[in-house]
Amino acid sequence: MAWLRSKLLGIVAVLVLVYLFVPIAVVAVLSFNDPEGKFNISWNEFSLSAWGNLCGVAGVCQSFILSIEIALIATLIATVFGTMIALALVRYRFRGRGAANSLIFLPMATPEVVLGASLLALYLNLRLPLGFWTILIAHIMFTISFIVVAVKARLQGMDPRLEEAAQDLYASPWQTFRFVTFPLVLPGILGAALLGFALSFDDFIISNFASGTTVTFPIFIWGAAQRGIPVQVYALATLVFALALVGTVVGQIVSSRRRRKLAASS
Amino acid sequence: MSEPRRATPVEDLNLVKLSKIYGGLAAVDDLTLTIPGGSFFALLGPSGCGKTTTLRMVAGLENPTSGQMFVGAQEITDLKAYKRPVNTVFQSYALFPHLDIFENVAFGLRRRGVKDVTGPVERMLELVELTSMARRKPGQLSGGQQQRVAVARALINEPDVLLLDEPLGALDLKLRRQMQIELKRIQVEVGTTFVHVTHDQEEAMTMADTIAVMNQGRIEQLGAPTQIYENPATAFVANFLGQCNLVPGQITGGDGDNAVLSANGFNFSVPRSRIHAAGSSAILGVRPEKITMYWADEPLPAGHNRLEGTVTDVSFTGVSTQYLVKVPWGQELVVFEQNLSLEELSRRGEHVQIGWAPGHTFALDGAEDITAGMGSHVVGA
């Protein structure tokens, strides 16, 4: 009993981690499966055929690349605008600032189905052909809010006197941004961009409304799920996860090493 | 230590009818002031007196509501902060955390397109004795070292005016004393005008050639530290710069250089040059360390102002002993006696005489509030 009590926290923690990672593990394991029938559901036999031929199923790689393209462009544009909006909201006092501050939250609070349906109505009214551009516009729209919030948090934590000091030391407004504000806010901007990329890459609901006949990766999977998901999808998903994992681990190592270096030299 | 005094002459800083109004309240109220080039000037006052607002207007970080500012003949009122020949040492320093010490100090030179920054930066780091720290980040330095980086980062630009906003406020007492001496040394060495904003009267008196005491957006008195301490013009200045005994009374006459001020039925003589009263109603003032205690039967030097009283409190503070002496009209006057003799101290309840030279007496205008500046007094903080 005493043993259980002392280990309880550890046991719960392990259970929670298992709960979080089992679905991902299942995907990774099944990416090495050679399924018996159409459905890749139960383990049959080890095979590298999907990994060896990632684009072996019609449409899978096109949709994957399309999603990456949209996510990159949407993130880039949303990050530039989101950062500018955040700067304006934190650094300047202007009429309508309070309203802008709360309106920026609205896309986050609105259910995605509603957003998607109303976007579709808008596109149809404007007679915009559905496809790449309508998906891109929708993605920029909903990622901006998240980026504004993330960059704002970083800016608010920054001492405004640093910008005053830069001005005092002959930095024009642009130089102040370039040499002081931007480098100090950059970690926040990068974090926001990563979040934006992830949100855009895996968006299904809004994309489904805005895409017409264009197929993004999530839409491809959704369609394939009706008929049996090809193993390639599992492999691509595992690949994305592995890349994210490597990125996170490298980031952690770099930052902890820098911290240790700082601690050692002071 | 080889940073030469600047080649070009240092210009005066002139503020003309400068005001800053925030929501109907004047933070700085019609301020006209000349700060001589090359001087160490202190703006002294309690928080909210307008001294920091004045400094920020000179730096260009705040726009005046009205008035003008000049450096020499050049008007800087509407000049952007980054175009002014003025640099600031910020409260809590505002060093750039992502740049190392070298780059912090080089920042101003680089922004102005100076090609070779290495020589000047190294000379400046030498001046503030931080050569070995050049490649550290600000976060790795102690408070005192950061303070010196802030000074070097501003001074390297050879500004006409260096503004210091409570530069020693974040340091502990011992380090602060050290930095006071250090800053004075640097000022003498580079010869630039230093304008130092502080609420600490000891700091202002230790460092500055000239002090302007500010209160409610206006300058109460301006002068050398000894002058404003020894001969304050207002009750606020008298109380803010240290303890002071103030007794309301009337100027009733006098002869030659001295006037007679009578208060509560006693007469005191005051040099006419130390009377700041407009009419006959006046307040007698004398600082506690100017008063000497005598035994009840001891003779006083001729012509000294004299009172009898009873000791109501004795506190030994090491350097001096602080007495409260209750005088005939019931007021308790403060007396500081240096601990020179090994004789027994006066005891509570003892009957004594107190006296002081007329030359140490001053008189304020009778309309003054004798408690002005008391609440905001800082004791060696």
Side-chain angles (χ1 to χ4, degrees):
Chain A
M1 207 47 212
W3 177 87
L4 184 68
R5 194 174 293 170
S6 69
K7 299 284 187 238
L8 192 60
L9 181 64
I11 293 167
V12 171
V14 168
L15 285 177
V16 169
L17 283 176
V18 166
Y19 172 67
L20 283 176
F21 286 105
V22 157
I24 296 169
V26 167
V27 171
V29 168
L30 288 180
S31 75
F32 296 102
N33 191 18
D34 181 12
E36 210 177 351
K38 254 170 48 169
F39 290 89
N40 184 10
I41 291 169
S42 51
W43 182 256
N44 182 38
E45 181 179 329
F46 181 83
S47 154
L48 283 171
S49 64
W51 284 95
N53 188 12
L54 278 173
C55 296
V57 177
V60 67
C61 274
Q62 285 92 315
S63 70
F64 188 78
I65 289 164
L66 178 70
S67 274
I68 297 265
E69 275 172 6
I70 289 177
L72 281 177
I73 301 172
T75 302
L76 187 71
I77 296 175
T79 304
V80 171
F81 282 114
T83 302
M84 284 161 67
I85 295 171
L87 269 170
L89 289 175
V90 174
R91 281 290 177 267
Y92 300 96
R93 303 278 165 273
F94 53 90
R95 189 192 293 254
R97 178 170 160 270
N101 236 332
S102 27
L103 284 175
I104 212 77
F105 274 97
L106 223 53
M108 285 197 281
T110 312
E112 281 197 57
V113 241
V114 178
L115 216 53
S118 58
L119 260 175
L120 178 60
L122 181 71
Y123 288 152
L124 292 178
N125 275 314
L126 293 171
R127 299 184 198 289
L128 281 175
L130 299 180
F132 180 86
W133 294 104
T134 47
I135 302 173
L136 185 66
I137 291 169
H139 282 209
I140 293 171
M141 187 268 298
F142 73 75
T143 44
I144 274 187
S145 303
F146 290 93
I147 286 171
V148 169
V149 171
V151 177
K152 241 177 76 180
R154 179 82 190 184
L155 268 174
Q156 275 161 341
M158 192 184 136
D159 184 354
R161 262 177 309 204
L162 293 173
E163 286 168 342
E164 293 185 350
Q167 283 179 53
D168 187 69
L169 295 164
Y170 312 101
S172 64
W174 163 248
Q175 290 176 320
T176 301
F177 177 77
R178 162 77 183 77
F179 294 111
V180 175
T181 318
F182 183 71
L184 287 173
V185 181
L186 188 60
I189 295 176
L190 289 180
L194 275 176
L195 179 70
F197 184 89
L199 286 169
S200 164
F201 182 76
D202 85 339
D203 177 72
F204 172 71
I205 302 175
I206 293 178
S207 305
N208 199 32
F209 281 102
S211 60
T213 57
T214 309
V215 180
T216 64
F217 193 55
I219 295 175
F220 179 89
I221 296 173
W222 168 254
Q226 327 281 323
R227 291 165 273 118
I229 301 174
V231 186
Q232 274 80 358
V233 168
Y234 289 74
L236 283 169
T238 309
L239 193 66
V240 171
F241 174 73
L243 284 176
L245 191 68
V246 169
T248 313
V249 169
V250 168
Q252 292 282 350
I253 290 173
V254 168
S255 77
S256 81
R257 186 172 292 173
R258 187 184 304 155
R259 218 170 304 132
R260 225 172 310 139
K261 215 172 96 188
L262 272 179
S265 56
S266 61
Chain B
M1 298 305 120
S2 57
E3 185 66 13
R5 286 181 73 96
R6 42 188 298 145
T8 48
V10 187
E11 305 278 10
D12 291 357
L13 173 66
N14 272 297
L15 311 181
V16 182
K17 297 173 111 31
L18 202 62
S19 291
K20 177 71 186 181
I21 317 268
Y22 288 116
L25 281 171
V28 174
D29 191 2
D30 199 31
L31 185 78
T32 297
L33 180 63
T34 297
I35 296 174
S39 65
F40 200 131
F41 192 95
L43 273 176
L44 171 68
S47 56
C49 74
K51 58 190 193 299
T52 296
T53 307
T54 306
L55 192 88
R56 289 176 60 83
M57 287 194 286
V58 176
L61 300 170
E62 209 88 61
N63 291 318
T65 311
S66 62
Q68 291 170 293
M69 295 176 277
F70 299 88
V71 171
Q74 185 196 9
E75 175 160 11
I76 59 165
T77 317
D78 297 317
L79 219 52
K80 297 278 186 211
Y82 56 91
K83 292 187 174 158
R84 296 191 184 198
V86 166
N87 291 108
T88 310
V89 175
F90 287 81
Q91 192 172 13
S92 74
Y93 325 133
L95 300 179
F96 304 123
H98 59 299
L99 301 177
D100 64 23
I101 300 312
F102 185 96
E103 285 304 323
N104 262 282
V105 175
F107 193 89
L109 294 183
R110 291 205 194 280
R111 295 297 82 74
R112 287 185 302 161
V114 174
K115 286 279 169 290
D116 182 30
V117 300
T118 314
V121 171
E122 278 171 358
R123 272 201 297 284
M124 201 37 80
L125 287 177
E126 211 173 291
L127 178 76
V128 297
E129 292 162 8
L130 283 173
T131 309
S132 60
M133 300 290 169
R135 292 300 162 196
R136 299 275 178 96
K137 291 280 176 71
Q140 297 166 262
L141 267 56
S142 71
Q145 291 170 331
Q146 290 187 23
Q147 214 277 331
R148 300 213 295 271
V149 176
V151 172
R153 184 178 71 168
L155 271 183
I156 195 167
N157 305 294
E158 299 195 3
D160 283 319
V161 182
L162 182 77
L163 305 172
L164 301 113
D165 185 9
E166 303 268 6
L168 308 179
L171 305 178
D172 62 52
L173 191 60
K174 204 177 154 201
L175 198 52
R176 196 181 311 183
R177 293 275 174 270
Q178 219 173 305
M179 283 307 301
Q180 288 175 0
I181 296 164
E182 187 81 348
L183 277 177
K184 247 181 119 163
R185 173 183 74 81
I186 293 172
Q187 197 268 338
V188 170
E189 221 158 297
V190 299
T192 301
T193 313
F194 277 37
V195 180
H196 177 190
V197 155
T198 181
H199 65 272
D200 181 338
Q201 78 286 354
E202 268 186 46
E203 189 174 297
M205 288 194 279
T206 310
M207 299 169 76
D209 314 324
T210 311
I211 298 177
V213 181
M214 271 189 94
N215 184 29
Q216 298 182 339
R218 293 170 163 278
I219 289 182
E220 290 260 338
Q221 192 176 359
L222 186 146
T226 47
Q227 185 192 342
I228 58 170
Y229 179 82
E230 302 291 359
N231 189 8
T234 67
F236 181 87
V237 175
N239 288 324
F240 193 75
L241 286 183
Q243 288 199 60
C244 202
N245 295 299
L246 296 175
V247 184
Q250 295 284 328
I251 294 169
T252 52
D255 51 47
D257 292 340
N258 285 351
V260 172
L261 196 154
S262 73
N264 305 300
F266 294 85
N267 286 339
F268 305 94
S269 52
V270 188
R272 291 195 190 276
S273 59
R274 293 166 68 90
I275 295 176
H276 306 281
S280 64
S281 166
I283 297 166
L284 174 87
V286 60
R287 295 218 176 261
E289 75 278 7
K290 303 292 191 284
I291 305 178
T292 313
M293 297 237 305
Y294 300 90
W295 302 115
D297 49 5
E298 225 178 320
L300 262 68
H304 275 206
N305 291 318
R306 177 187 166 276
L307 277 170
E308 287 178 21
T310 313
V311 175
T312 54
D313 192 65
V314 184
S315 8
F316 179 75
T317 63
V319 189
S320 67
T321 303
Q322 190 172 331
Y323 297 95
L324 287 181
V325 178
K326 194 171 192 170
V327 289
W329 60 87
Q331 187 176 356
E332 285 179 326
L333 299 186
V334 186
V335 178
F336 295 164
E337 286 278 272
Q338 265 194 294
N339 294 318
L340 292 175
S341 65
L342 298 171
E343 276 177 47
E344 212 182 328
L345 303 171
S346 293
R347 279 189 297 268
R348 192 177 302 179
E350 194 157 10
H351 191 73
V352 294
Q353 300 180 88
I354 55 174
W356 66 92
H360 285 143
T361 321
F362 54 87
L364 308 172
D365 193 273
E368 292 266 338
D369 169 14
I370 63 167
T371 61
M374 269 183 173
S376 38
H377 183 70
V378 182
V379 184

